[in-house]
Every structure is written in C-alpha cells, then in structure tokens.
Amino acid sequence: TAGRNPKIFSADELKTVINEALILFLVIPGNHDLWSEQEGNTPLAMFITRLRELLTLYISIFLSEKNPSINAEEIAKIVRAKTKLFPDTEAVHEMPSGLRVAMAHPHMGRAATTSLRAQHAIGMLNAQVVGIANFHTAVVVHKWEPNLGQCVVVQVGTHAIYTRFEKRKMKFNVDFGPVAHRTTSSHGRIIMTDTVYYNKPYLKQPISKFQDINLLRKKLGLRCVE
C-alpha cells in the first residue's frame, strides 16, 4: 500500500490497513480497579468502552478525508477485535503463532527476594509468556517447563512514583516505566527472547494532584492533541 493514492483503496484494503496498523491491546483490572466492585461497578467497563469509541471516531475522521468507502460500523468491529478486556483471573490470549500470553495483577505485596513473585507465575494459566505487576520492581525470569517448553515471566515496575502509599509499604526504591519484551517462536514454542527496560522517569519529584494540567504539560514539554 506504500505510495498508493488512498482514494483508490477498496473497503477491504482499508480494513486490512487498519487491522495491521492497530496493536493488539489486552487489558485486565488491577486490584485498585477492583475496589469499585464493592459499589456495584464493573471495573474498567467505561474505560474500554470509551477507548473503543475514541479510536473508532478518530480513525473514521481520518479516513473520511482520504476515502469514504469504509463506514464507522466496519471500523468499530476492527477496533473491538483489537481491544480486549479480560477478567483478572482468566486473562490468557493465544497469539497467531500459537504462543499463549497471560496477565495478572496479584493482590499481594513484594517479597524480600525480588524475583519470587515472577517465579511463582511461571506457566500461569498454561501460558508460555506471562506479564505481572503490582510489586514495583522490574524482573524477567525464564524457565523450561516440560509441557510448555521455554517460558518467560515479565514483571513490570510502576507508573506511579513518589506516593505516600509506596513509602507506607516501605517501597522506597521502585522501578519506574514500561518493559519492552519481544519473543521469537516456532511451532508454538519460544526459541529466543529480548527484553529492554529504561528506568528513567520523566518526573523527578512529587506532583500534587491539584497541579494545573496545562502547566504540567508545558513543564514536561508535552503537546496536547485535541
């Protein structure tokens, strides 16, 4: 499709382009999200709904200027297939490669041994790749399992730092930011993995929740997209 005039794309071609452009976005509720269940709410239901609405809206607006041959309903179907909300205890997804990917946000604190929680998650939900969080430390653990072959657990750090909550839990040293992980597989088995982590937060000090958002954007050099 590179170099082609988008106005001559067919509807099917546009569907393929949209599907390939969108990443697969898998979501689970963490223990903080689940607190809202006590009030009769379904955790993250509004989040996933609003996310799909916004993606569909802005993709539709963009394509309406390029090619009106695909309608919003078709775009919404693609967006819905690419954004999935799982129950926190059943979050497992099978990739086209045959690898199973699981996620969890355990309701427990960190252990004295940094890798202990990650070790416990090896092969969770019968998956070769497992992502966990809630311990504010970044760890990657590998282990061979007879029924699954090579397995890997990626434990991510935190995206909320300088909080009183962390200090009250004696989490004075935390790992901040996302972990980028790539897995190479063949016939549903892992043959190689790569993991990259940059522990360099934008924030250098606590910021009040009452901070003016526009001043914060300016201070951090962030641009707001309307």
Side-chain angles (χ1 to χ4, degrees):
T1 58
R4 287 183 56 190
N5 184 344
K7 292 184 178 180
I8 63 174
F9 284 177
S10 68
D12 287 338
E13 285 177 320
L14 283 176
K15 290 178 189 177
T16 300
V17 171
I18 296 169
N19 186 63
E20 292 178 350
L22 292 175
I23 64 170
L24 181 62
F25 191 66
L26 310 179
V27 184
I28 62 169
N31 55 324
H32 295 265
D33 305 307
L34 291 166
W35 291 343
S36 64
E37 284 186 328
Q38 301 173 21
E39 300 173 352
N41 299 314
T42 301
L44 299 186
M46 183 56 68
F47 166 79
I48 198 71
T49 299
R50 189 62 176 147
L51 174 65
R52 288 167 174 167
E53 287 178 351
L54 289 173
L55 280 172
T56 301
L57 172 63
Y58 286 105
I59 292 173
S60 299
I61 291 174
F62 175 78
L63 289 181
S64 67
E65 301 171 354
K66 306 292 183 181
N67 188 326
S69 64
I70 183 171
N71 59 47
E73 183 179 353
E74 293 171 321
I75 296 172
K77 290 179 181 178
I78 299 172
V79 168
R80 187 172 184 83
K82 284 285 189 171
T83 54
K84 300 183 180 182
L85 174 62
F86 290 93
D88 64 306
T89 56
E90 303 170 20
V92 60
H93 176 77
E94 185 167 317
M95 305 295 288
S97 64
L99 285 184
R100 289 167 58 87
V101 179
M103 298 184 295
H105 198 268
H107 296 204
M108 58 176 66
R110 65 168 66 169
T113 302
T114 306
S115 64
L116 185 62
R117 303 307 188 201
Q119 289 174 271
H120 287 168
I122 292 282
M124 184 182 68
L125 296 177
N126 196 36
Q128 292 101 334
V129 181
V130 177
I132 63 172
N134 199 31
F135 310 110
H136 297 195
T137 50
V139 177
V140 177
V141 175
H142 297 80
K143 185 181 179 182
W144 175 270
E145 291 289 335
N147 60 321
L148 295 171
Q150 185 68 31
C151 295
V152 58
V153 175
V154 179
Q155 178 178 299
V156 301
T158 179
H159 288 274
I161 55 176
Y162 309 123
T163 68
R164 290 174 294 175
F165 172 83
E166 291 167 320
K167 292 179 180 179
R168 288 166 179 162
K169 296 291 184 179
M170 294 184 68
K171 295 181 179 180
F172 295 103
N173 296 314
V174 301
D175 293 328
F176 177 84
V179 177
H181 178 80
R182 179 177 66 182
T183 297
T184 304
S185 66
S186 177
H187 299 94
R189 292 294 182 102
I190 293 175
I191 58 175
M192 185 175 70
T193 68
D194 294 290
T195 308
V196 178
Y197 172 66
Y198 298 103
N199 186 9
K200 188 178 180 181
Y202 278 105
L203 307 182
K204 305 300 181 183
Q205 60 186 9
I207 293 179
S208 169
K209 67 172 62 177
F210 304 108
Q211 167 77 51
D212 183 285
I213 188 64
N214 293 316
L215 291 177
L216 179 59
R217 287 196 185 104
K218 184 176 181 181
K219 180 179 180 180
L220 297 176
L222 301 177
R223 182 171 64 90
C224 178
V225 179
E226 298 296 341

